[in-house]
mmCIF file of all heavy atoms in Angstrom:
data_model
loop_
_atom_site.group_PDB
_atom_site.id
_atom_site.type_symbol
_atom_site.label_atom_id
_atom_site.label_comp_id
_atom_site.label_asym_id
_atom_site.label_seq_id
_atom_site.Cartn_x
_atom_site.Cartn_y
_atom_site.Cartn_z
ATOM 1 N N ARG D 1 -11.812 9.995 -6.204
ATOM 2 C CA ARG D 1 -11.997 9.291 -7.475
ATOM 3 C C ARG D 1 -10.676 8.876 -8.120
ATOM 4 O O ARG D 1 -10.279 9.379 -9.162
ATOM 5 C CB ARG D 1 -12.812 10.138 -8.436
ATOM 6 C CG ARG D 1 -13.550 9.281 -9.457
ATOM 7 C CD ARG D 1 -14.397 10.045 -10.420
ATOM 8 N NE ARG D 1 -15.340 10.931 -9.776
ATOM 9 C CZ ARG D 1 -15.774 12.061 -10.314
ATOM 10 N NH1 ARG D 1 -15.359 12.447 -11.482
ATOM 11 N NH2 ARG D 1 -16.635 12.807 -9.666
ATOM 12 N N LEU D 2 -9.999 7.937 -7.500
ATOM 13 C CA LEU D 2 -8.720 7.439 -8.006
ATOM 14 C C LEU D 2 -8.910 6.554 -9.225
ATOM 15 O O LEU D 2 -9.865 5.794 -9.312
ATOM 16 C CB LEU D 2 -8.024 6.598 -6.933
ATOM 17 C CG LEU D 2 -7.207 7.355 -5.901
ATOM 18 C CD1 LEU D 2 -6.733 6.396 -4.818
ATOM 19 C CD2 LEU D 2 -6.025 8.032 -6.530
ATOM 20 N N SER D 3 -7.957 6.646 -10.141
ATOM 21 C CA SER D 3 -7.941 5.761 -11.297
ATOM 22 C C SER D 3 -6.491 5.463 -11.656
ATOM 23 O O SER D 3 -5.564 6.097 -11.139
ATOM 24 C CB SER D 3 -8.674 6.395 -12.479
ATOM 25 O OG SER D 3 -8.059 7.614 -12.844
ATOM 26 N N PHE D 4 -6.311 4.490 -12.527
ATOM 27 C CA PHE D 4 -4.966 4.184 -12.994
ATOM 28 C C PHE D 4 -4.475 5.350 -13.839
ATOM 29 O O PHE D 4 -5.224 5.885 -14.656
ATOM 30 C CB PHE D 4 -4.955 2.890 -13.808
ATOM 31 C CG PHE D 4 -5.333 1.691 -12.999
ATOM 32 C CD1 PHE D 4 -6.596 1.122 -13.123
ATOM 33 C CD2 PHE D 4 -4.442 1.128 -12.105
ATOM 34 C CE1 PHE D 4 -6.957 0.019 -12.370
ATOM 35 C CE2 PHE D 4 -4.792 0.021 -11.342
ATOM 36 C CZ PHE D 4 -6.049 -0.527 -11.477
ATOM 37 N N ALA D 5 -3.236 5.745 -13.628
ATOM 38 C CA ALA D 5 -2.672 6.842 -14.416
ATOM 39 C C ALA D 5 -2.576 6.413 -15.874
ATOM 40 O O ALA D 5 -2.267 5.253 -16.166
ATOM 41 C CB ALA D 5 -1.288 7.213 -13.888
ATOM 42 N N PRO D 6 -2.822 7.332 -16.803
ATOM 43 C CA PRO D 6 -2.689 6.982 -18.215
ATOM 44 C C PRO D 6 -1.238 6.608 -18.542
ATOM 45 O O PRO D 6 -0.305 7.164 -17.962
ATOM 46 C CB PRO D 6 -3.102 8.242 -18.961
ATOM 47 C CG PRO D 6 -3.431 9.265 -17.948
ATOM 48 C CD PRO D 6 -3.221 8.700 -16.589
ATOM 49 N N GLU D 7 -1.080 5.678 -19.447
ATOM 50 C CA GLU D 7 0.256 5.213 -19.822
ATOM 51 C C GLU D 7 1.159 6.379 -20.223
ATOM 52 O O GLU D 7 2.339 6.390 -19.898
ATOM 53 C CB GLU D 7 0.150 4.211 -20.971
ATOM 54 C CG GLU D 7 1.465 3.561 -21.320
ATOM 55 C CD GLU D 7 1.332 2.488 -22.375
ATOM 56 O OE1 GLU D 7 0.233 1.951 -22.575
ATOM 57 O OE2 GLU D 7 2.366 2.181 -23.004
ATOM 58 N N SER D 8 0.590 7.378 -20.869
ATOM 59 C CA SER D 8 1.381 8.533 -21.325
ATOM 60 C C SER D 8 1.964 9.338 -20.166
ATOM 61 O O SER D 8 2.942 10.056 -20.340
ATOM 62 C CB SER D 8 0.519 9.444 -22.197
ATOM 63 O OG SER D 8 -0.589 9.931 -21.457
ATOM 64 N N LYS D 9 1.388 9.228 -18.969
ATOM 65 C CA LYS D 9 1.860 9.993 -17.807
ATOM 66 C C LYS D 9 2.841 9.217 -16.933
ATOM 67 O O LYS D 9 3.551 9.801 -16.120
ATOM 68 C CB LYS D 9 0.668 10.428 -16.941
ATOM 69 C CG LYS D 9 -0.179 11.495 -17.575
ATOM 70 C CD LYS D 9 0.586 12.785 -17.620
ATOM 71 C CE LYS D 9 -0.263 13.931 -18.100
ATOM 72 N NZ LYS D 9 0.531 15.148 -18.222
ATOM 73 N N ILE D 10 2.863 7.891 -17.064
ATOM 74 C CA ILE D 10 3.692 7.065 -16.174
ATOM 75 C C ILE D 10 5.157 7.470 -16.237
ATOM 76 O O ILE D 10 5.793 7.702 -15.217
ATOM 77 C CB ILE D 10 3.488 5.566 -16.468
ATOM 78 C CG1 ILE D 10 2.067 5.173 -16.040
ATOM 79 C CG2 ILE D 10 4.528 4.717 -15.740
ATOM 80 C CD1 ILE D 10 1.655 3.782 -16.433
ATOM 81 N N SER D 11 5.696 7.584 -17.422
ATOM 82 C CA SER D 11 7.100 7.968 -17.573
ATOM 83 C C SER D 11 7.340 9.396 -17.084
ATOM 84 O O SER D 11 8.352 9.672 -16.435
ATOM 85 C CB SER D 11 7.529 7.827 -19.037
ATOM 86 O OG SER D 11 8.864 8.209 -19.182
ATOM 87 N N ASP D 12 6.407 10.305 -17.389
ATOM 88 C CA ASP D 12 6.552 11.703 -16.956
ATOM 89 C C ASP D 12 6.632 11.811 -15.439
ATOM 90 O O ASP D 12 7.431 12.572 -14.905
ATOM 91 C CB ASP D 12 5.371 12.554 -17.442
ATOM 92 C CG ASP D 12 5.334 12.722 -18.948
ATOM 93 O OD1 ASP D 12 6.352 12.434 -19.621
ATOM 94 O OD2 ASP D 12 4.272 13.141 -19.460
ATOM 95 N N VAL D 13 5.784 11.052 -14.740
ATOM 96 C CA VAL D 13 5.687 11.161 -13.285
ATOM 97 C C VAL D 13 6.765 10.347 -12.568
ATOM 98 O O VAL D 13 7.364 10.811 -11.605
ATOM 99 C CB VAL D 13 4.275 10.747 -12.797
ATOM 100 C CG1 VAL D 13 4.198 10.718 -11.276
ATOM 101 C CG2 VAL D 13 3.227 11.690 -13.372
ATOM 102 N N THR D 14 7.015 9.124 -13.047
ATOM 103 C CA THR D 14 7.940 8.236 -12.332
ATOM 104 C C THR D 14 9.361 8.266 -12.883
ATOM 105 O O THR D 14 10.304 7.903 -12.179
ATOM 106 C CB THR D 14 7.455 6.772 -12.379
ATOM 107 O OG1 THR D 14 7.545 6.281 -13.725
ATOM 108 C CG2 THR D 14 6.040 6.641 -11.848
ATOM 109 N N GLY D 15 9.500 8.611 -14.158
ATOM 110 C CA GLY D 15 10.810 8.551 -14.801
ATOM 111 C C GLY D 15 11.108 7.174 -15.373
ATOM 112 O O GLY D 15 12.206 6.928 -15.868
ATOM 113 N N PHE D 16 10.128 6.276 -15.327
ATOM 114 C CA PHE D 16 10.305 4.910 -15.823
ATOM 115 C C PHE D 16 9.149 4.549 -16.737
ATOM 116 O O PHE D 16 8.046 5.060 -16.588
ATOM 117 C CB PHE D 16 10.359 3.924 -14.648
ATOM 118 C CG PHE D 16 11.460 4.231 -13.680
ATOM 119 C CD1 PHE D 16 11.207 4.969 -12.541
ATOM 120 C CD2 PHE D 16 12.754 3.806 -13.918
ATOM 121 C CE1 PHE D 16 12.225 5.276 -11.640
ATOM 122 C CE2 PHE D 16 13.777 4.104 -13.033
ATOM 123 C CZ PHE D 16 13.517 4.846 -11.892
ATOM 124 N N GLU D 17 9.405 3.620 -17.665
ATOM 125 C CA GLU D 17 8.355 3.219 -18.588
ATOM 126 C C GLU D 17 7.419 2.190 -17.952
ATOM 127 O O GLU D 17 7.785 1.498 -16.992
ATOM 128 C CB GLU D 17 8.952 2.687 -19.884
ATOM 129 C CG GLU D 17 9.759 1.422 -19.740
ATOM 130 C CD GLU D 17 10.379 0.969 -21.047
ATOM 131 O OE1 GLU D 17 9.622 0.676 -21.984
ATOM 132 O OE2 GLU D 17 11.616 0.908 -21.112
ATOM 133 N N LEU D 18 6.221 2.110 -18.504
ATOM 134 C CA LEU D 18 5.226 1.147 -18.053
ATOM 135 C C LEU D 18 5.838 -0.247 -18.033
ATOM 136 O O LEU D 18 6.496 -0.660 -18.971
ATOM 137 C CB LEU D 18 4.022 1.169 -18.996
ATOM 138 C CG LEU D 18 2.909 0.171 -18.698
ATOM 139 C CD1 LEU D 18 2.214 0.521 -17.397
ATOM 140 C CD2 LEU D 18 1.906 0.142 -19.831
ATOM 141 N N GLY D 19 5.644 -0.969 -16.924
ATOM 142 C CA GLY D 19 6.182 -2.307 -16.788
ATOM 143 C C GLY D 19 7.560 -2.351 -16.158
ATOM 144 O O GLY D 19 8.075 -3.423 -15.884
ATOM 145 N N SER D 20 8.159 -1.180 -15.911
ATOM 146 C CA SER D 20 9.497 -1.119 -15.317
ATOM 147 C C SER D 20 9.567 -0.169 -14.130
ATOM 148 O O SER D 20 10.640 0.260 -13.737
ATOM 149 C CB SER D 20 10.515 -0.667 -16.366
ATOM 150 O OG SER D 20 10.585 -1.579 -17.418
ATOM 151 N N VAL D 21 8.417 0.175 -13.561
ATOM 152 C CA VAL D 21 8.375 1.139 -12.467
ATOM 153 C C VAL D 21 8.764 0.451 -11.152
ATOM 154 O O VAL D 21 8.094 -0.478 -10.714
ATOM 155 C CB VAL D 21 6.986 1.789 -12.339
ATOM 156 C CG1 VAL D 21 6.942 2.761 -11.165
ATOM 157 C CG2 VAL D 21 6.602 2.496 -13.642
ATOM 158 N N PRO D 22 9.848 0.894 -10.521
ATOM 159 C CA PRO D 22 10.228 0.312 -9.225
ATOM 160 C C PRO D 22 9.354 0.874 -8.107
ATOM 161 O O PRO D 22 8.714 1.916 -8.277
ATOM 162 C CB PRO D 22 11.684 0.753 -9.066
ATOM 163 C CG PRO D 22 11.774 2.025 -9.849
ATOM 164 C CD PRO D 22 10.797 1.893 -10.985
ATOM 165 N N PRO D 23 9.335 0.224 -6.957
ATOM 166 C CA PRO D 23 8.504 0.688 -5.837
ATOM 167 C C PRO D 23 9.170 1.811 -5.044
ATOM 168 O O PRO D 23 9.239 1.784 -3.823
ATOM 169 C CB PRO D 23 8.323 -0.577 -4.997
ATOM 170 C CG PRO D 23 9.581 -1.332 -5.226
ATOM 171 C CD PRO D 23 9.961 -1.064 -6.659
ATOM 172 N N VAL D 24 9.661 2.786 -5.756
ATOM 173 C CA VAL D 24 10.397 3.904 -5.167
ATOM 174 C C VAL D 24 9.918 5.178 -5.858
ATOM 175 O O VAL D 24 9.785 5.191 -7.071
ATOM 176 C CB VAL D 24 11.919 3.753 -5.412
ATOM 177 C CG1 VAL D 24 12.680 4.943 -4.886
ATOM 178 C CG2 VAL D 24 12.440 2.461 -4.823
ATOM 179 N N SER D 25 9.651 6.212 -5.099
ATOM 180 C CA SER D 25 9.300 7.496 -5.707
ATOM 181 C C SER D 25 10.504 8.418 -5.629
ATOM 182 O O SER D 25 11.089 8.603 -4.571
ATOM 183 C CB SER D 25 8.125 8.140 -4.978
ATOM 184 O OG SER D 25 7.878 9.428 -5.512
ATOM 185 N N PHE D 26 10.881 8.945 -6.780
ATOM 186 C CA PHE D 26 11.975 9.899 -6.805
ATOM 187 C C PHE D 26 11.440 11.331 -6.846
ATOM 188 O O PHE D 26 12.174 12.274 -7.026
ATOM 189 C CB PHE D 26 12.887 9.615 -8.001
ATOM 190 C CG PHE D 26 13.606 8.300 -7.862
ATOM 191 C CD1 PHE D 26 13.178 7.183 -8.541
ATOM 192 C CD2 PHE D 26 14.692 8.177 -7.008
ATOM 193 C CE1 PHE D 26 13.830 5.965 -8.399
ATOM 194 C CE2 PHE D 26 15.345 6.967 -6.851
ATOM 195 C CZ PHE D 26 14.912 5.855 -7.552
#
């Protein structure tokens, strides 16, 4: 049951803000 991550989690998980996430996982 995949869904889009909540905006509040994007920065926590990726280290980048919504709209600026590069295609790289750190």
Side-chain angles (χ1 to χ4, degrees):
R1 206 179 306 150
L2 276 173
S3 60
F4 296 104
E7 187 175 339
S8 61
K9 289 291 186 184
I10 291 172
S11 179
D12 293 345
V13 174
T14 68
F16 302 96
E17 65 182 298
L18 177 67
S20 298
V21 178
V24 176
S25 175
F26 293 101

